[in-house]
Amino acid sequence: MAKTYLIRKTPSGGVSIIVKLKKGNIPRCAICGRKLQGLPALHPSKYRRLNLSQKRVSRKYGGYLCHKCLENLLKEKVREKIKILNSNQ
Ligand SMILES: [Zn+2]
């Protein structure tokens, strides 16, 4: 169940029900599955209300890939471009 209900007595003698949402999971890298750093673990309904800057890291593919996978991806792309340039000469 996504919600937990807490029954609390108020100072006036009444009873109130507190609804608590479960914490969500930390977003993970799309390639290696490592937990992404700098992002909060919130319930999806709360995650939607965040600003864009709070849902991502200020980097290319921030909030989608981890730093290590992005580094490997960029290196591969540069190597491919160098190969193409060398083959044309
Ligand atoms: Zn990764």
Side-chain angles (χ1 to χ4, degrees), residues 27-38:
R28 289 177 176 272
C29 172
I31 294 175
C32 69
R34 187 187 316 195
K35 283 178 184 173
L36 295 177
Q37 293 191 323

Side-chain angles (χ1 to χ4, degrees), residues 24-86:
N25 294 323
I26 296 173
R28 289 177 176 272
C29 172
I31 294 175
C32 69
R34 187 187 316 195
K35 283 178 184 173
L36 295 177
Q37 293 191 323
L39 301 176
L42 294 175
H43 192 266
S45 65
K46 300 232 170 177
Y47 218 87
R48 253 182 278 134
R49 291 179 213 159
L50 293 180
N51 297 329
L52 186 65
S53 61
Q54 290 170 315
K55 290 183 225 174
R56 52 169 293 175
V57 187
S58 59
R59 185 199 309 140
K60 217 174 188 188
Y61 295 100
Y64 183 67
L65 295 179
C66 70
H67 67 286
K68 215 64 185 165
C69 288
L70 179 66
E71 188 184 322
N72 292 338
L73 196 85
L74 294 177
K75 278 181 184 174
E76 276 176 30
K77 279 191 178 178
V78 170
R79 282 176 192 146
E80 279 175 20
K81 279 191 179 177
I82 290 173
K83 270 187 190 177
I84 291 167
L85 286 174
N86 286 340

Side-chain angles (χ1 to χ4, degrees), residues 4 7 9 12-14 16 23 36 40 48 52 63 65 74:
T4 52
I7 298 168
K9 282 190 174 175
S12 60
S16 71
K23 257 194 172 182
L36 295 177
R48 253 182 278 134
L52 186 65
L65 295 179
L74 294 177

